[in-house]
Structure formats: C-alpha cells, structure tokens
C-alpha cells in the first residue's frame, strides 16, 4: 500500500476531504506565509544580516508541545532501556521517494503533551512529566513508575526545518509490572522491548537490525542524552 500522498492528490481521490478536516486541518495565513494545525506549523522565516537586511529565507516547521522519554530499569547492575517499534509512513527512502513498504523505526517513548495522543489522555493540557507518564503507560507496557526526571530539551534540527524543542525525560520503572502486550496499536506501534544498554548501542551502530531502522536522529539523540546522564550505562554499552 502507498505510504503517503499529497493533500492535493487526497482531495482529488476523496473530494471534500480538506473541508472535513475540521480542527485537525491546516489553516492558511497568507499574510504571515504560515500554515498551522493542532499538530504544529510551517512558515517562511527570513534570516537577517548583521546590518538588519534580509540574508536568505527558508520554510521551517514546528511541532505541538511534545515529549521524548527513556523508560528504563536496572537489574543486577545492568541497565535495560525501553525501545518501541513504530512505522513512520511519511519517511522517504530518498528525497521525495516514498518507502515501500514504510520504514519501521526504533525509538524511545514519544508523543504530544496534550490530548492528541492516547485513548486515556486527559482533556487538560499536561505538564511534560505528566505527559511522559501517560505515554509510558500506553506505549511501553508500564504499570508502575518509580521516578520521572527531566533531561532538559533538544531540538530536532535547529537550522530548519524542525525548529521547536522537545522535552526530554527519563523514567525509571518497576520491571515486575511490565506488560508489553499493552501498547497503542492505533499509533502503528508494533511492540516494545527492554534491551540491555550494550545491545541497544550495537543496534544503533549497525543502523538496521531485524528489519528495524535505528537511525531516526531525534529518537537516537534522546538515548544519547540518557547515556550522557548515566555514564555507568554508557560504560556497559561500550564494554
């Protein structure tokens, strides 16, 4: 099955689709050269020279507030890191060429902070730690969380196109309560595994393992920040 089509092609195939999008649809502000939706925005920005005159412009995009979180536990001194496996149909094999079949990526727990993601999400806009707790429960099969700590933020691509930051968190869980049969299939998440730190780094080095791509840069940077905050886990990964 084709992974993606343009909005123009979708409207041709399904007349009225754009009008039916409602609050999920893109809203165009021609005066600001911006389009936006509840998921994020895209707009033209102009970089200035030191004297304040225009230098160059490009289209940039941003996401609604979101979190990337590493769920983990330690057993017998070994760090086990939660990795979810999710299809990303918008990912191309090369510039503008859809992947067929769509690429399945390895990633940490990821999701929007507000009510967009998850059947059990609250209608109230969540703080980053609360959002991370909900996402872990839905994506990583976790029933009991020991602690949630902030790891700050990171930026997907600060030069553009992805210019907004994501909140990063680490979540220590109780491994005795994991049920990896409970994950969000509506998000195209196939499974979650808890992998020893060394094995995770090996798979990242390989790039692809067992049909799963480990080179989604934002996802891998989340793991990197976690390892930077836990040198003991990084030592296990490099030994």
């Amino acid at each position: 099955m084709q992974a993606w089509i343009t909005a123009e092609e979708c409207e041709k195939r399904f007349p009225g689709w754009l009008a039916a999008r409602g609050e999920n649809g893109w809203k165009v502000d021609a005066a600001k050269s911006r389009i936006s939706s509840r998921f994020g925005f895209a707009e033209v920005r102009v970089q200035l020279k030191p004297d304040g005159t225009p230098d160059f412009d490009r289209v940039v995009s941003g996401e609604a507030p979101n979190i990337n979180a590493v769920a983990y536990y330690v057993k017998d001194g070994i760090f086990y890191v939660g990795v979810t496996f999710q299809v990303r149909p918008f990912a191309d094999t090369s510039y503008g060429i859809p992947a067929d079949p769509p690429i399945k990526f390895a990633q940490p727990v990821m999701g929007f902070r507000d009510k967009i993601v998850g059947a059990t999400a609250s209608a109230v806009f969540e703080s980053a730690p609360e959002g991370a707790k909900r996402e872990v429960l839905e994506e990583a099969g976790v029933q009991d969380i020991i602690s949630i700590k902030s790891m700050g933020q990171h930026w997907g691509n600060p030069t553009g196109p992805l210019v907004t930051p994501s909140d990063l968190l680490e979540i220590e869980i109780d491994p005795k309560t994991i049920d990896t049969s409970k994950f969000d299939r509506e998000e195209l998440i196939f499974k979650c595994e808890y992998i020893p730190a060394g094995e995770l780094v090996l798979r990242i080095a390989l790039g692809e393992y067992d049909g799963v791509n480990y080179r989604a840069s934002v996802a891998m940077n989340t793991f990197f920040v976690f390892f930077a905050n836990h040198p003991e886990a990084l030592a296990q990964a490099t030994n």
Side-chain angles (χ1 to χ4, degrees):
M1 184 179 71
Q2 191 172 357
W4 60 265
I5 57 176
T6 64
E8 180 183 18
E9 177 63 23
C10 191
E11 182 66 19
K12 287 180 180 178
R13 295 186 189 183
F14 308 97
W17 173 83
L18 285 173
R21 293 284 289 151
E23 66 173 350
N24 290 324
W26 292 99
K27 299 172 180 62
V28 179
D29 187 336
K32 295 182 179 179
S33 296
R34 178 180 179 130
I35 56 176
S36 58
S37 79
R38 64 194 305 213
F39 295 100
F41 67 87
E43 67 181 5
V44 175
R45 292 184 179 178
V46 182
Q47 184 165 315
L48 300 177
K49 297 178 181 178
D51 64 3
T53 59
D55 191 358
F56 64 88
D57 61 274
R58 65 181 301 179
V59 175
V60 302
S61 61
E63 293 184 303
N66 64 94
I67 58 96
N68 297 170
V70 176
Y72 76 99
Y73 65 86
V74 182
K75 183 178 180 181
D76 299 327
I78 303 296
F79 277 76
Y80 291 82
V81 179
V83 180
T84 62
F85 300 90
Q86 184 167 0
V87 168
R88 296 294 187 181
F90 289 151
D92 294 343
T93 55
S94 58
Y95 293 104
I97 300 177
D100 185 18
I103 301 172
K104 185 188 298 182
F105 288 96
Q107 60 190 40
V109 174
M110 306 174 78
F112 293 109
R113 266 182 11 198
D114 70 0
K115 65 181 180 180
I116 297 171
V117 177
T120 64
S122 169
V124 178
F125 193 86
E126 300 164 312
S127 69
E130 289 169 343
K133 184 172 183 178
R134 166 173 57 80
E135 288 299 321
V136 168
L137 289 170
E138 292 176 354
E139 292 189 4
V142 175
Q143 307 300 310
D144 188 17
I145 294 172
I146 296 172
S147 66
I148 301 177
K149 297 179 181 179
S150 172
M151 298 193 297
Q153 295 177 310
H154 72 178
W155 282 257
N157 186 352
T159 67
L162 186 57
V163 295
T164 49
S166 297
D167 293 305
L168 303 181
L169 300 105
E170 61 173 65
I171 304 175
E172 186 175 6
I173 64 170
D174 182 353
K176 296 189 296 294
T177 65
I178 295 173
D179 183 357
T180 54
S181 68
K182 295 181 179 180
F183 47 83
D184 191 351
R185 291 185 182 273
E186 292 182 2
E187 290 269 314
L188 300 182
I189 297 172
F190 284 80
K191 62 178 179 177
C192 176
E193 293 181 358
Y194 286 83
I195 301 172
E199 176 65 19
L200 174 57
V201 171
L202 176 61
R203 295 182 186 185
I204 293 172
L206 291 173
E208 184 172 309
Y209 178 83
D210 196 24
V212 177
N213 190 296
Y214 282 75
R215 294 293 176 87
S217 63
V218 170
M220 295 307 105
N221 187 62
T222 303
F223 290 130
F224 175 79
V225 173
F226 174 78
F227 285 133
N229 281 283
H230 291 276
E232 65 276 33
L234 184 60
Q236 294 171 13
T238 55
N239 287 337

